[in-house]
Amino acid sequence: MRLRYLALIVYFGFLLLPIYWLVNMSLKTNVEITSGLTLWPQNLTFANYVTILTDQSWYSGYINSFIYVAMNTAISLTVALPAAYAFSRYRFIGDKHMFFWLLTNRMAPPAVFVLPFFQLYQTFGLFDTHIAVALAHCLFNVPLAVWILEGFMSGVPKEIDETAYVDGYSFPRFFLFVFMPLIKAGIGVTAFFCFMFSWVELLMARTLTSVAAKPIGAIMTRTVSAAGMDWGTLAAAGVLTIVPGVLVIYFVRNYMAKGFALGRV
Amino acid sequence: MRKTESNKAWLLVLPVFLLVAFSAIIPLMTVVNYSVQDIFGPGEAYWVGTEWFKEMLRSEDLRGAFVRQVIFSATILVIQIPLGIAIALAMPAKGWAASLSLVLVALPLLIPWNVVGTIWQIFARGDIGLGGWFVNDMMGIGYNYTADSLHAWITVVVMDIWHWTPLVVLLCYAGLRAIPDAFYQAAAIDGAGRWKVFRYIQLPKLRGVLLIAVLLRFMDSFMIYTEPFVLTGGGPGTATTFLSQQLVKIALGQFDLGPAAAYSIIYFLIILAASFVFYNIMVRVGRGDRA
Amino acid sequence: MPALEWMNWTLPTAAFFAAVGVMLLFMTALELAWPTVERKGLLPMATTRGDRLFIGLLGAAFIHLGWLGFTELPLWYGSIAAFVWFTLEMRWG
C-alpha cells in the first residue's frame, strides 16, 4: 500500500515538475533566467504577463484560438449528434464502411492534408479566417465526436425511442427534448474532447492563418529574435495556454472517466 | 442492441459526410493529382507518371524516417501501456483524492502541443532547465539533447511519455471503474491474491479500453510532428526526424509538391492499412464483449 | 464555382477517381440486389464483399509500391502480380 502511494507521488512529481519549471520561469526576469539556476524566483516579477495581456498582438492570439475552438466544438457537436444517433439505432447500406472511413480521417496525419488545405481554403476565400481552422479541425474532431457519442447513445435503451414515437413525438422534438437530456453527460464529454483536440493542434491552425486569425501557438515563435530568446515571455505565454485547459478539466472531472469508458466502437 | 434496418438513416449521416468529405476528399484527390506530375504552378505541370513514387520509396531520408518512426512508436507503446495500467491501478477510486488525481493526470493532455515542446525544451536544457541541470550536475552525465543524437532521442521519448501516458491512464481508469464490486467480492471469497485479481478479473475487463489505447497511441505517435519540431527541430542531424516532419520539410520547406504528394500517399496507405487491421480487431473484441 | 486550377487534374487521375466512384455505386447496387453474406476465407477474419474489395485494392497498391521501391523490373509486371492477388482475394479471401 505504501509503495503504491509512493509510486503515485513519484509519477505526479514527474508530471508536475516540468510545468512548475515553466511557471517558475514565467515569474522571473530574463536576466535571472540566463544568469543561473534558481529553484524559485528571486525577484518575483509579473512583467512577462503584463506584456502579454496588454499587447494586442499577443492577446489577440488567445482570442483567435478561442474563437475557432468554440466554432469547431459547436459545428462538430451539431453534425455529429444526428449521425451518432443513426449509427447507434439503424443499420443501413455501407454503415460500417462509413464509420471506418470517418475513423481513418481521425487517424490520418494532418501533415498529409496540409499541402492541399492551404490552396483549398484560399480558393474558397477562407484563408486566414477562424472558420477555416474550425472546418479543418472538423476533419479529426467530427469522427471522434461521432465515435464517443455513439457509445453513449448505445447505452440508452431503444424502448425510450419507441415509447416516445408512440406518444406522438416527432423525431426533432423527441431528439431535442427527450433524447438529448438523457445523454447530457455524453455531450459534455464530447464537447470536452473537441475542445481539447482543437485547442492543442497547431500544424493546421498555423498553416491556414497569417495575421487575422493567427493562433497563440504560432505567435509564440516570435520570442525567438536576433537579441536571443525572450524566455520569460515565452514561458508566460505557455502558462496562459495551460489555464483554459485546467478550467475545462475541473468542470468535467467527474464525467471524464465515464466518457473514456463508453467511447468505444 | 438490435438495430432497425433503414436506409433513411443516411439522411442523418449526410451532414457529417459532406463536412468531412470537403476537408478529406478534395485534398486527397489533389494529392493524387500532384503525385504524378511535376508542378510549376496552378495549371502548369507535366506528367511524370510514377517517377516521384520511385524517388520517394528509394530515398534514404524517407526510409530513415520510417525506421525511426517505427522504433519510436514501438518504444513509446512498450513503455506507456504498462505504465498507464500501473498508474490507473494505483490511483484512488473515490473521494477528493480521486478527483484531484484525475485533474492532475489529465493536465498534460490539455496543453497545446507546441507548448509541450516548449516546456521540455526549457526543462531539458543544461543551463536553464531543472531536468537538464539535474542530469548534468547531480548525476554527472554530460547530457546535451541539442548535440547528442541519443540524448535527443531519449528526451523526445521521455517527453512523449510525459505527454501521452495520461491518456492510457484515463482509459484504463475508466475501464477499472466499470468493473462491478461483486467481481472483487467473489475473488476475495475464492482467496485470490492481488496478482490473480489483476490477471483474471481486471485485465480481461480492460481489453476493450486497452485496444482503444493502443490504437490511439500507435496512430497518434505515427503522426507526431509539433512536439519534436519545437524540442529538437528533428535534429541533431536527422536523429529525431519522423515521418510527418520529413513530409513537412519537403512540402512546405522545399515546396516540392510532386514528391511531397507521392510521400503523402505512401504515408496515408500505411495509416489506412494499420487502421483497417485495428478496426477489425476492435469490432471483433466489441462483439465478444456483448455476446 | 471557384477556380479549381490548382488541383491540376489530369486525364488518368480523373479516370482513376471516376472508376472509384463507379465501383462504389456498383457495390451499393449489388448490395441492394444481393445483400452480402460474411464468410471466412483465407484471411483470419470473416469478410464481406466490401471488405474483400478494400483488402484487395489496398494489397494491390502495396504490391505496386513494393515493386517501385525494391525492384528494377518494369512496373507492369507488378501490375500483373497485383491483379493476381486481387483476383485471389476477391474469390477466396
Side-chain angles (χ1 to χ4, degrees), chain A residues 107 142 227:
Chain A
M107 304 308 167
V142 166

Side-chain angles (χ1 to χ4, degrees), chain B residues 64-85:
Chain B
F66 180 76
V67 171
R68 279 190 294 274
Q69 181 75 67
V70 170
I71 297 175
F72 175 74
S73 292
T75 313
I76 60 114
L77 273 181
V78 165
I79 299 173
Q80 287 180 1
I81 300 290
L83 183 64
I85 299 174

Side-chain angles (χ1 to χ4, degrees), chain B residues 43-56:
Chain B
E44 282 173 68
Y46 78 94
W47 176 264
V48 296
T50 55
E51 208 41 54
W52 297 134
F53 284 94
K54 204 168 194 164
E55 189 183 313
M56 284 292 113

Side-chain angles (χ1 to χ4, degrees), chain B residues 11-193:
Chain B
L11 289 176
L12 296 173
V13 183
L14 200 62
V16 162
F17 175 75
L18 292 177
L19 188 68
V20 178
F22 175 75
S23 294
I25 294 183
I26 298 178
L28 203 62
M29 285 174 162
T30 311
V31 168
V32 171
N33 288 342
Y34 284 9
S35 71
V36 290
Q37 299 177 80
D38 200 354
I39 309 281
F40 300 108
E44 282 173 68
Y46 78 94
W47 176 264
V48 296
T50 55
E51 208 41 54
W52 297 134
F53 284 94
K54 204 168 194 164
E55 189 183 313
M56 284 292 113
L57 284 165
R58 283 155 195 241
S59 117
E60 286 306 316
D61 287 346
L62 188 145
R63 285 181 180 183
F66 180 76
V67 171
R68 279 190 294 274
Q69 181 75 67
V70 170
I71 297 175
F72 175 74
S73 292
T75 313
I76 60 114
L77 273 181
V78 165
I79 299 173
Q80 287 180 1
I81 300 290
L83 183 64
I85 299 174
I87 301 293
L89 284 170
M91 260 164 59
K94 27 180 115 56
W96 63 270
S99 295
L100 180 69
S101 322
L102 277 177
V103 172
L104 285 182
V105 166
L107 201 55
L109 296 175
L110 266 294
I111 300 176
W113 294 343
N114 65 311
V115 178
V116 171
T118 306
I119 287 177
W120 279 88
Q121 182 193 22
I122 294 170
F123 189 70
R125 276 176 69 111
D127 52 348
I128 60 168
L130 185 63
W133 168 80
F134 181 78
V135 175
N136 263 331
D137 293 13
M138 303 303 283
M139 293 158 68
I141 301 166
Y143 164 82
N144 183 350
Y145 73 86
T146 51
D148 186 297
S149 308
L150 183 68
H151 294 171
W153 178 268
I154 293 170
T155 312
V156 173
V157 169
V158 171
M159 173 179 69
D160 201 75
I161 291 169
W162 181 84
H163 188 191
W164 285 110
T165 307
L167 185 76
V168 184
V169 173
L170 289 178
L171 279 164
C172 291
Y173 184 79
L176 286 172
R177 292 294 83 78
I179 302 175
D181 280 339
F183 279 71
Y184 295 116
Q185 285 153 12
I189 291 168
D190 291 346

Side-chain angles (χ1 to χ4, degrees), chain A residues 234-254:
Chain A
L234 179 72
V239 171
L240 287 176
T241 63
I242 300 176
V243 176
V246 177
L247 292 177
V248 173
I249 301 175
Y250 183 74
F251 285 120
V252 298
R253 69 190 181 285
N254 292 323

